[in-house]
Structures are given as C-alpha cells and as structure tokens.
Amino acid sequence: MFEGKNIWITGGSSGLGRELAGMLAKRGANLLLLARDRAKLEKVKAELGGARVETSVCDVADPAAVEAAFKDLAARKGAPEVLINSAGVIREGYFEDQRLEEFHRLMNINYFGTLHCVRAALPFFKAKGGGRIVNIASSGGLLGAFGYAAYCSSKFAVVGLTEVLRAELKPQNIILHLVCPGEFHSPMVEGMTEGRTPENLAVVHTIPVLEADKVARAVIAGVEKGQYLIIPGRMTRLTVGLGRSIPFVGRAIVDAKIGKSYRGPKR
Ligand SMILES: NC(=O)c1ccc[n+]([C@@H]2O[C@H](COP(=O)([O-])OP(=O)(O)OC[C@H]3O[C@@H](n4cnc5c(N)ncnc54)[C@H](OP(=O)(O)O)[C@@H]3O)[C@@H](O)[C@H]2O)c1
C-alpha cells in the first residue's frame, strides 16, 4: 500500500511525523518531510538513509508558502499521493493566563496549517483521480481537557474539517483518516512538562502515556485497514468512547479529578 508511493509528511522532522517517516521508509515509500527547521529535517533525512527522502522548509501557517512549496515540489519530485498532516504545536495553562496571541498561533498552525496543506494537495489528487489524507488531530479534538483551551479549540476545528472533507471528497476517491491519539512521549510534550497545571496532569494522565512508535504503528495499521477514525491505545479508545456515549459520566469523573487537584490561576 505504501511501496513506491509519494508520501508527504508535515511535521516529519520530529515526534510522530518522524516515527511515521521511519516506518514508511522501511516500506519503500518516497518521502517528503516538511517543517520549519532545516537542521532537524536534514538530521532525520540522514538517519533514514536519505535515498528516498526529500525535505522542504515550509511554515504550514503561511498559505502562500505552502502553495508555492507544493507546486515546486510536485514539479520536481512528483505529485503527492498521500498527505499526512502531523505538524502541530501545543500550549497548556489556565484559560485566563493564555494570551490571545497564543489562541491565534495554535489555530494558525494546527487548524489553518492542516487546511492550507489539504488545499494545496487537492489539485494533485484530483489530477491523479484520488489520494489519501491523514489528519493528526488529538483525543483533545473529541473531548475538552483542562488547560487546553487553545489546543483543544484548534484540534476540534481539525476534527470538524476532517469530518466534512471525508464526506465531500470520498466521491472523488480522496480518502480521509482522522487520527485522535491521547498523550504520547514526544519533544512537544517534553517541552511543556514544566509549568503544566496540576489539574491538566490529573485529568490527562488518567490514560497511560503512549510511546510515539506505538502511535505510529496504530496509524499505519488503521490506514491499511481503511479505518476513518483511528484512536491509538485501548485506554484512549475507552475514555473517548465513554466521554462521547455517556458524557455526563465522563464529566463527573473529570470534575472529581479536578476537584481534588484544583489550584487555579493566580489572582
Ligand atoms: N505528543 C502528544 O501527546 C500528542 C497527542 C495527540 C496529538 N498530537 C498531535 O500529533 C502531532 C505531532 O505531535 P508531536 O508530539 O510529534 O510533536 P513534535 O515532536 O513537537 O513535532 C511537531 C512537528 O511539527 C513541526 N511544526 C510545528 N509547527 C510547524 C509549522 N508552523 N510549519 C511546519 N511544521 C511545523 C515541527 O517542526 P518545526 O518546529 O521545525 O517546524 C515538528 O516537526 C501534532 O499535530 C500534535 O498536536 C500529539
């Protein structure tokens, strides 16, 4: 399914994107990794052997840059056949402590970044008669979590977009996958460990934190099986299932955990 395919991965230089790149390289894919930091991209390319890996420095939040990069890369390397939108950023903190700029930044990268890449890839998929888009959202795109006002909003937006695109693009043989992992170890999570609110930790760490390679394997297996909604990890699936099917029970459990750990913003 992946052998010889042109697979473009935003955020391919780190965390889940990097794990996916490693696994897909072993399966014979032609990879194109996009991110902002050239040095990180080149390091991953070298680690993967380099032969079938290209990189591109691109800020997904900039629509003109994304469109220009996609056109240029497709002309030089061949059109994308699979697009994996993994680029993303996080911010955790009390709503009252989060600056408005942070809400814009997360929305610009997590939501609009995904949207820009889908729009830029679409003409190539249409010309080929089909394609596949894998949007890495989050369990925080299906259930709200304490401290993630900016992050969950951006991921709920990714989920909404993906839900609509799944239905709209399927008749054109463009297949959507929505990936909603719970927390997994990655530079993103390590970067926010300090200063994380106790309430966020109490709620989010109800579910065991996964390793990125386990999440990547679940993504690849889900795509291979043609699954639309991919939720890696049994406990995450159970928690999301409970939160969505019996929401008042999920809310009562969350409220009890917050009640025990509550510290709140500084007055
Ligand atoms: N880790 C978790 O617990 C978790 C849980 C659920 C969902 N997710 C989602 O999974 C995805 C991957 O997360 P991760 O944990 O693997 O994070 P990560 O290790 O921090 O990797 C994020 C990647 O995105 C790239 N990126 C960030 N902003 C970008 C921009 N504006 N333009 C282009 N590339 C950009 C980064 O490279 P540069 O900084 O060089 O651009 C990096 O390659 C994200 O969408 C995240 O929200 C993560």
Side-chain angles (χ1 to χ4, degrees):
M1 177 174 209
F2 302 111
E3 186 161 6
K5 286 267 160 56
N6 294 339
I7 303 184
W8 293 18
I9 309 178
T10 74
S13 63
S14 179
L16 179 56
R18 181 184 184 161
E19 287 292 338
L20 287 168
M23 289 177 194
L24 293 168
K26 286 196 188 120
R27 289 164 180 249
N30 303 315
L31 295 175
L32 184 85
L33 313 180
L34 297 96
R36 294 165 302 179
D37 184 326
R38 184 182 301 281
K40 274 200 287 177
L41 283 166
E42 289 310 314
K43 191 162 172 268
V44 174
K45 177 176 169 156
E47 281 168 10
L48 297 180
R52 301 174 88 161
V53 184
E54 285 300 328
T55 63
S56 174
V57 175
C58 181
D59 183 347
V60 296
D62 178 343
V66 170
E67 201 185 333
F70 272 52
K71 278 188 182 151
D72 172 60
L73 292 163
R76 290 192 293 114
K77 302 290 169 196
E81 292 164 290
V82 179
L83 169 67
I84 303 179
N85 286 304
S86 188
V89 288
I90 200 162
R91 167 80 166 86
E92 196 280 319
Y94 300 110
F95 172 72
E96 293 156 69
D97 292 343
Q98 295 191 33
R99 288 178 298 118
L100 185 58
E101 292 77 13
E102 285 294 288
F103 282 82
H104 283 286
R105 186 175 73 92
L106 264 68
M107 201 54 109
N108 282 337
I109 296 177
N110 295 350
Y111 170 65
F112 281 107
T114 301
L115 176 69
H116 298 153
C117 293
V118 169
R119 281 173 66 97
L122 211 51
F124 301 110
F125 290 163
K126 287 172 79 93
K128 278 213 166 190
R132 200 173 284 276
I133 299 170
V134 183
N135 284 344
I136 311 295
S138 169
S139 57
L142 298 171
L143 298 175
F146 196 109
Y148 283 152
Y151 184 68
C152 284
S153 305
S154 70
K155 292 296 186 177
F156 266 72
V158 172
V159 170
L161 174 70
T162 311
E163 292 275 299
V164 174
L165 293 181
R166 187 207 65 78
E168 275 199 32
L169 299 180
K170 194 176 178 189
Q172 299 183 49
N173 196 30
I174 299 169
I175 306 303
L176 267 290
H177 300 272
L178 173 64
V179 182
C180 292
E183 188 167 315
F184 57 86
H185 292 291
S186 78
M188 171 187 276
V189 166
E190 280 145 32
M192 68 164 182
T193 300
E194 249 176 61
R196 218 167 150 180
T197 64
E199 300 90 334
N200 172 268
L201 287 169
V203 172
V204 173
H205 286 176
T206 308
I207 305 173
V209 180
L210 298 179
E211 295 304 324
D213 66 330
K214 185 171 179 183
V215 175
R217 270 198 298 279
V219 172
I220 291 174
V223 170
E224 280 178 326
K225 281 187 250 167
Q227 264 174 22
Y228 166 63
L229 177 60
I230 301 169
I231 304 181
R234 203 164 50 92
M235 277 306 287
T236 314
R237 281 194 294 280
L238 278 172
T239 306
V240 170
L242 174 80
R244 280 161 53 104
S245 56
I246 336 177
F248 63 90
V249 174
R251 283 195 290 267
I253 294 170
V254 165
D255 290 349
K257 282 180 180 289
I258 293 169
K260 279 193 193 142
S261 59
Y262 192 71
R263 188 186 67 195
K266 286 197 191 98
R267 311 259 165 232

